[in-house]
Amino acid sequence: MLDLNGLKFTLFPNNGISHRYFPVFGIASIDPGFLRELRCPHAMKKNAFPIYTQPCGWNALLPSREALSPVIGNLDVQYVVVGAGFTGMAAARRLSELNPNASIVLLEASTVGEGSSARNSGFLSRNEYPSSNSAEAIEQNNILNGFNSEAFDGLQKIIEDHHIACDFHASGRIRAAATPEGANTLRKIQQALEATGHPTNTLDESALHKLIGTSYYKFGVHTDTGHLVQPAALIRGMLSALPQQIQVHENSPVLDLKQHGKKWQLKTSSAQITADQVIMATNASVKYFGYLQDKVVTIHTYAGITEPLKPSEIASFGSLESWGVLPAHRLGTTVRRVGADRLLVRSLYAYENSLSESVVHDALHRRFHNRYPELSHIRLEHVWGGVTALTLNGSPYVGSLAPGLYASAGCNGSGIVKGTALGSYLAELAHSNRTDPQILKAYGTANKILPDPFRALGFKVISAWESRKAGLES
């Protein structure tokens, strides 16, 4: 779960509106000590899909599995879904429901459990809160929660029906602040929640220490809404639960996509596929194929999970058996409990390119030990990065790119429930060729962004300024 709020970015066009915002991870932060890393990033070769140098920590906690075979030869099918994350699996499943006899191929560039969908913090929620207590915001939120609730309930039903062991459970949410400025921000959020009928509990430093075992935070707000999950276990379980009608191939990155008459041709290293319709559920990677380059930016984020703690050390986790903490500042750090004996810390980000492994390891360890100094001898056993896609106004792009070609991109760091909802919608759009104005009203639609170097310069300057303001929330 990425806590996304708006970061004002005046270099972007305002499209007739007084202010536009560039959304940034609430679990991200920049230290002055590695601003040089952002000016001189370790550039990755542009690929059709993210290439990760570190295994996903969530997946490393699970038993190994044998990957499904790559796609081989020449195929002619009705539907191809590219990307076996939450959006792609939802699209393939819904296509199967709408077309029980259709030929459906689902392609995954890497292996399920190692892709971007498994690299998040494992936060999800059935309902979102309105951005304000205005009538317009409440109406929009009600429409949004109609789609979110349907997607969440569908996920929960699959988990229960197929007995997916993914540690899916209700946990509530804690937003916590380490500074007076952060506390003031949370009080405003709390007031808005209470004004719209969402009950909250105020937590002082003592209460927070009792619940989560740290005195780092001075003020917090608790809400009942929120679940936690082991994301790699969930996405692997979703794969096993797909209808047999769907042909799934792993290690099958699409290297070329072009229109051929009324059909589409996709090439991998070992196959050529002709399809009537294609759904691109690849988030930011859709840019590789020339689409949405003016609407989506790629962001790398980072996380680490501790080694197992001894029984005598587990008391440091607090009295709650399950909890997740979101920061008061958009450039803060997310922390959550993982199972009975581990903690996760998620922070940092990089624009379009990855940070060096040494910078990531040092920064994540520092953030963890700042919050739990009594655990300064504990190391992060698994450290990894993940890629997501941001848009200017925090809204995704979802819809048709060309006749027979559909895409969803710009999850803005919240992909499990939203991705499931948008994947199902893309399948219905491909099936009926009819748009649903309600889903656009619920999620909005991505605005255009100025090209680089203006985009990169503005992002880094404003991000550095906001990270200074974040202070101890980092």
Side-chain angles (χ1 to χ4, degrees), residues 313-355:
E313 298 167 327
I314 293 176
S316 301
F317 292 2
S319 61
L320 286 180
E321 293 184 359
S322 174
W323 54 263
V325 173
L326 297 173
H329 191 279
R330 62 184 64 91
L331 299 188
T333 294
T334 294
V335 186
R336 63 162 284 190
R337 187 166 181 171
V338 177
D341 58 359
R342 297 178 189 260
L343 289 177
L344 174 143
V345 58
R346 187 175 179 102
S347 194
L348 313 176
Y349 68 91
Y351 172 81
E352 294 288 349
N353 298 299
S354 60
L355 296 173

Side-chain angles (χ1 to χ4, degrees), residues 61-197:
L61 298 179
L62 301 174
S64 61
R65 57 172 289 270
E66 184 176 350
L68 300 174
S69 62
V71 62
I72 298 174
N74 297 319
L75 285 75
D76 193 334
V77 299
Q78 290 174 264
Y79 299 101
V80 171
V81 179
V82 183
F86 293 105
T87 303
M89 287 199 192
R93 175 178 289 275
R94 185 62 179 143
L95 284 174
S96 175
E97 294 170 350
L98 294 169
N99 303 272
N101 298 315
S103 51
I104 304 168
V105 170
L106 176 60
L107 301 177
E108 169 57 32
S110 58
T111 58
V112 174
E114 282 297 327
S116 299
S117 287
R119 292 173 176 262
N120 61 71
S121 300
F123 287 68
L124 66 163
S125 181
R126 189 175 188 272
N127 294 305
E128 300 295 336
Y129 297 126
S131 57
S132 73
N133 59 358
S134 69
E136 181 181 3
I138 292 174
E139 179 187 7
Q140 184 270 341
N141 187 251
N142 288 336
I143 298 172
L144 172 66
N145 282 336
F147 289 104
N148 276 5
S149 297
E150 183 178 1
F152 182 94
D153 292 345
L155 281 170
Q156 186 170 11
K157 187 175 189 303
I158 293 171
I159 291 170
E160 294 172 351
D161 288 352
H162 294 269
H163 307 288
I164 299 175
C166 58
D167 196 25
F168 173 81
H169 62 279
S171 61
R173 280 290 182 279
I174 296 174
R175 289 180 179 267
T179 64
E181 295 78 10
N184 288 335
T185 297
L186 292 187
R187 289 188 182 97
K188 293 177 183 178
I189 294 174
Q190 187 177 28
Q191 291 171 2
L193 291 174
E194 295 284 354
T196 53

